[in-house]
Amino acid sequence: MSETIFTKIINGEISADIVYEDELCLAFNDINPQAPVHFLVIPKKPVATINDITEADREVVGHLTFVAAKVAKEMGIDHEGYRTVMNCNEFGGQSVYHIHLHVLGGKLLGWPPYTDKPKNLE
Ligand code: 5GP
């Protein structure tokens, strides 16, 4: 797969507001936050989409959720609650092709998470 902006963040080639890092993953604040708290948890291994996850990625993919909850607790949004989202491909709204778990919180979030008529119902 071609290199994305997230690989550059992992390699330190471009800066990000990093909130957590370990050997498997990195978490950093979203550059265009959609809620008072909005950070992304990404694997250090580049995997383009959820569709590309293999058996070998099971540990790291589970780890993303573990880290999301850990950082959410540290940020104090665990009690009121928050949302985790992983978008996939065009209809899912994915724009960066390196899987990432969005963590959104700090306000009451709407549901469903779209305002326009979904493309598949046009
Ligand atoms: P997607 O649309 O693929 O689900 O989410 C990609 C997210 O990455 C978007 O919320 C976008 O704001 C964020 N993003 C894109 N480029 C950068 C960047 O260079 N730095 C940071 N911190 N976030 C980025």
Side-chain angles (χ1 to χ4, degrees):
M1 73 183 248
S2 55
E3 189 174 277
T4 71
I5 193 107
F6 289 175
T7 296
K8 290 187 167 61
I9 290 174
I10 291 164
N11 294 338
E13 293 164 39
I14 66 163
S15 65
D17 186 10
I18 292 170
V19 295
Y20 178 86
E21 180 168 12
D22 64 24
E23 69 283 5
L24 291 177
C25 75
L26 190 65
F28 52 89
N29 285 319
D30 197 291
I31 203 167
N32 183 24
Q34 301 301 309
V37 173
H38 185 181
F39 63 91
L40 306 173
V41 191
I42 71 171
K44 288 189 171 172
K45 175 187 172 182
V47 176
T49 78
I50 299 175
N51 294 329
D52 302 299
I53 292 169
T54 68
E55 189 76 23
D57 302 320
R58 286 175 57 163
E59 183 191 351
V60 70
V61 171
H63 189 62
L64 301 181
T65 300
F66 175 81
V67 169
K70 176 182 164 63
V71 177
K73 275 180 202 145
E74 287 168 5
M75 291 188 175
I77 59 169
D78 54 316
H79 182 68
E80 288 181 311
Y82 54 93
R83 182 171 299 156
T84 63
V85 179
M86 196 179 282
N87 296 324
C88 182
N89 278 339
E90 183 191 356
F91 279 12
Q94 185 172 7
S95 60
V96 178
Y97 283 78
H98 178 132
I99 58 168
H100 47 282
L101 194 60
H102 292 262
V103 183
L104 300 127
K107 72 171 186 183
L108 187 60
L109 300 168
W111 189 266
Y114 51 80
T115 51
D116 298 321
K117 198 173 175 183
K119 286 181 181 170
N120 59 338
L121 296 181
E122 278 174 358

